[in-house]
């Protein structure tokens, strides 16, 4: 970056050069001095849905521009994921789910910081069924920082450290966050998933590494909802989405266990499947989910 500096020394040097002899015809020259400064982080619209509407070339250029920032950590990170990692503030909690502070999503998912025991944060996992009682699954996008390209439940994310998502009454803050992220990740309009239709069934506490650098340490709210919705996946977040019935899910589990087709499941999804999902699926079909809700217990898995 070149900047014209209007300093006495620069002006003096400019006049000196201007009065010097140059090959004919004489030319007048302006003096530019090099100055290096740090650009602010690129600002993107808050909803990651906007990124799914811009051209791939624009996203590539944005990523390249971000990667040139010499003082920025993880310069190879996708621009959208970078924004989420550094702008989103997760809610730090203790093992009893009491709020103890907040921290960037980036720090909350660094494995070395997780090992300090100070990065436990609140999360949620949505299990959305249609009226045929099929479960909507997603494959996380290849650009996700943690657990890219793994298959998981409908939506998994974090309530943020903001007033609307800190409301504890009836777990409204977590429900608000779930509604927000279903729109961000899967393009599901808010009117398709009213916050009062989410049924919180339980909470679980787990820790899982991703790739040696990244991982999870979450106190996870398990939210179930039965709705027919419009799905328009955001490619920055989701590689693929599909509904499965029980038998299809069991086949998916078999392939993951056998290592077929490189298929992998997220650790939190697998914990829910192995400990709760199929017995809760019975109540989904019977319309009796509220009968098995237990928000007093935090399962340490």
């Amino acid at each position: 970056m070149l900047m014209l500096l209007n300093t006495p020394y620069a002006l003096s040097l400019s006049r000196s050069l201007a009065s010097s002899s140059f090959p004919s015809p004489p030319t007048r020259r302006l003096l530019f001095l090099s100055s290096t400064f740090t650009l602010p982080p690129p600002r993107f619209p808050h909803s990651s849905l906007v990124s799914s509407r811009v051209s791939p070339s624009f996203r590539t250029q944005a990523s390249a521009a971000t990667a040139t920032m010499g003082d920025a950590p993880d310069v190879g990170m996708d621009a959208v994921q970078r924004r989420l990692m550094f702008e989103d503030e997760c809610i730090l909690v203790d093992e009893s789910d009491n709020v103890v502070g907040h921290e960037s999503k980036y720090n909350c998912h660094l494995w070395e910081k997780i090992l300090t025991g100070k990065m436990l944060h609140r999360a949620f996992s949505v299990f959305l069924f249609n009226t045929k009682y099929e479960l909507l699954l997603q494959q996380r996008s290849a650009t996700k920082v943690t657990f890219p390209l793994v298959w998981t439940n409908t939506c998994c994310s974090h309530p943020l450290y903001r007033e609307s998502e800190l409301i504890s009454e009836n777990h409204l803050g977590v429900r608000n966050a779930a509604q927000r992220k279903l729109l961000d990740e899967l393009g599901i309009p808010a009117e398709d998933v009213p916050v009062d239709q989410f049924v919180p069934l339980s909470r679980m506490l787990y820790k899982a590494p991703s790739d040696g650098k990244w991982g999870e340490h979450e106190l996870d709210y398990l939210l179930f909802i039965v709705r027919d919705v419009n799905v328009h996946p955001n490619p920055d977040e989701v590689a693929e989405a599909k509904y499965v019935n029980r038998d299809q899910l069991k086949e998916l589990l078999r392939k993951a266990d056998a290592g077929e087709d490189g298929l992998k499941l997220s650790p939190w999804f697998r914990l829910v499947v192995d400990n709760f999902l199929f017995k809760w699926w019975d109540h989904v079909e019977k319309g009796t989910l509220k009968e098995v809700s237990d928000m007093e217990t935090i399962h340490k898995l």
Side-chain angles (χ1 to χ4, degrees):
M1 176 67 69
L2 296 177
M3 181 181 294
L4 178 62
L5 300 182
N6 187 20
T7 65
Y9 173 75
L11 293 173
S12 174
L13 186 55
S14 179
R15 285 194 295 271
S16 175
L17 288 174
S19 63
S20 300
S21 297
F22 292 91
S24 182
T27 57
R28 294 181 60 84
R29 303 204 175 177
L30 291 178
L31 175 67
F32 288 82
L33 300 182
S34 176
S35 176
T36 302
F37 61 97
T38 303
L39 291 170
R43 306 292 293 184
F44 291 86
H46 185 75
S47 172
S48 57
L49 276 176
V50 176
S51 298
S52 70
R53 291 195 290 266
V54 300
S55 69
S57 62
F58 177 85
R59 287 202 298 270
T60 301
Q61 293 166 15
S63 297
T66 304
T68 64
M69 297 170 60
D71 63 333
D74 297 283
V75 294
M77 192 182 295
D78 171 82
V80 173
Q81 297 303 321
R82 177 181 169 78
R83 173 180 64 78
L84 295 174
M85 277 292 196
F86 287 96
E87 291 188 8
D88 285 359
E89 291 280 318
C90 294
I91 302 168
L92 297 180
V93 295
D94 61 22
E95 291 193 357
S96 297
D97 200 18
N98 299 306
V99 177
V100 297
H102 57 94
E103 186 53 83
S104 70
K105 185 178 176 184
Y106 180 91
N107 283 336
C108 283
H109 292 84
L110 277 175
W111 190 244
E112 64 180 22
K113 291 187 177 291
I114 289 172
L115 293 178
T116 68
K118 298 178 180 179
M119 291 296 131
L120 177 61
H121 55 280
R122 193 173 284 169
F124 63 83
S125 290
V126 174
F127 292 75
L128 185 149
F129 296 81
N130 61 21
T131 52
K132 294 190 290 185
Y133 307 122
E134 296 169 324
L135 173 62
L136 180 61
L137 303 182
Q138 66 155 280
Q139 184 184 32
R140 292 162 66 86
S141 78
T143 60
K144 297 289 281 188
V145 175
T146 58
F147 303 98
L149 293 176
V150 305
W151 282 92
T152 192
N153 50 287
T154 312
C155 180
C156 335
S157 192
H158 315 87
L160 301 181
Y161 194 80
R162 57 176 65 163
E163 184 176 359
S164 63
E165 297 183 11
L166 282 163
I167 301 171
S168 59
E169 184 179 0
N170 295 322
H171 317 292
L172 182 58
V174 176
R175 296 182 198 213
N176 285 338
Q179 186 186 64
R180 170 178 60 83
K181 287 303 292 182
L182 284 169
L183 176 62
D184 281 353
E185 293 190 2
L186 291 159
I188 299 176
E191 56 267 25
D192 283 5
V193 283
V195 291
D196 61 359
Q197 294 299 302
F198 291 103
V199 180
L201 287 188
S202 195
R203 292 173 290 178
M204 70 176 188
L205 194 158
Y206 77 97
K207 182 188 297 181
S210 176
D211 61 359
K213 178 174 182 177
W214 306 101
E216 293 284 7
H217 191 201
E218 297 184 330
L219 201 152
D220 198 3
Y221 283 65
L222 307 178
L223 307 178
F224 276 50
I225 185 169
V226 181
R227 302 280 293 186
D228 288 325
V229 299
N230 295 297
V231 179
H232 304 284
N234 173 3
D236 287 317
E237 296 283 348
V238 177
E240 187 179 346
K242 64 180 179 181
Y243 284 95
V244 295
N245 59 31
R246 292 186 196 227
D247 290 338
Q248 290 167 331
L249 178 56
K250 289 176 182 177
E251 175 62 12
L252 205 66
L253 297 174
R254 186 197 65 77
K255 286 185 176 181
D257 289 343
E260 290 184 18
D261 305 324
L263 192 147
K264 295 181 180 179
L265 303 178
S266 72
W268 59 89
F269 180 46
R270 191 61 194 251
L271 285 171
V272 175
V273 170
D274 290 345
N275 290 278
F276 310 113
L277 181 57
F278 288 107
K279 62 183 178 183
W280 286 346
W281 207 318
D282 293 335
H283 291 276
V284 169
E285 295 176 351
K286 295 175 183 176
T288 55
L289 274 175
K290 292 182 179 179
E291 293 181 8
V292 292
S293 177
D294 175 15
M295 295 304 293
E296 298 301 318
T297 303
I298 298 175
H299 301 274
K300 296 182 179 181
L301 303 175

